[in-house]
Amino acid sequence: MKTKTLIGTLPLIAILAACSPNEDSSLSESAQSTMSSAKQTAKEATDAAAEKARELRDGAAEMADDAGDATAEAWDDTKEVTSEAWEDTKDVSKEGWDKTKEMSEEGWEATKEAGEDAADAVDDAVDDMQD
């Protein structure tokens, strides 16, 4: 508010200094002093705004960096979980394949033995009929 009032009065002071018939040096000096103060205040305000903008930029850069790190970490976690799930799937699939193969072999052996037993029974029946 002080800066606005000061800057708002500068044109009035400058006009008064220019229109003064006596060219009063103290009024001229006052106007120059006020103008100098206004310039200094404006410079300080600009510097403060620039500093705040740098802080905001740095904060935004840090937030973006943190977001990038979090994304990379999430990606690594996803790859790890996917890899573990793939390994588990391969293990389960292999176990299923091994069990299927084992059961198939057992079924084949049982069928073969049943066929041999049936052939033996037919041979025994033929022998019994011939006797």
Side-chain angles (χ1 to χ4, degrees):
M1 185 69 174
K2 186 177 180 181
T3 304
K4 287 183 182 179
T5 303
L6 181 63
I7 291 173
T9 60
L10 288 178
L12 180 59
I13 293 170
I15 291 170
L16 288 174
C19 294
S20 175
N22 299 338
E23 300 255 345
D24 188 23
S25 66
S26 67
L27 184 58
S28 177
E29 288 173 8
S30 176
Q32 287 177 356
S33 174
T34 303
M35 190 63 116
S36 178
S37 293
K39 285 180 182 178
Q40 182 62 31
T41 303
K43 183 180 179 329
E44 289 171 2
T46 301
D47 291 347
E51 179 61 29
K52 186 64 175 176
R54 280 190 290 277
E55 289 173 9
L56 291 172
R57 181 197 65 212
D58 292 347
E62 187 175 329
M63 288 172 60
D65 189 44
D66 290 346
D69 291 346
T71 301
E73 189 175 316
W75 175 249
D76 289 343
D77 290 347
T78 301
K79 286 192 317 186
E80 184 179 335
V81 167
T82 302
S83 179
E84 289 172 5
W86 174 248
E87 289 301 318
D88 291 347
T89 301
K90 284 189 339 186
D91 291 345
V92 168
S93 178
K94 184 173 178 347
E95 289 172 13
W97 174 251
D98 290 346
K99 188 68 174 171
T100 300
K101 184 179 169 187
E102 180 184 325
M103 290 174 68
S104 178
E105 288 171 356
E106 289 173 1
W108 172 250
E109 286 299 319
T111 301
K112 186 172 134 184
E113 288 174 13
E116 289 171 356
D117 290 346
D120 289 344
V122 169
D123 286 341
D124 289 344
V126 168
D127 287 343
D128 288 344
M129 287 170 55
Q130 288 177 353
D131 289 336

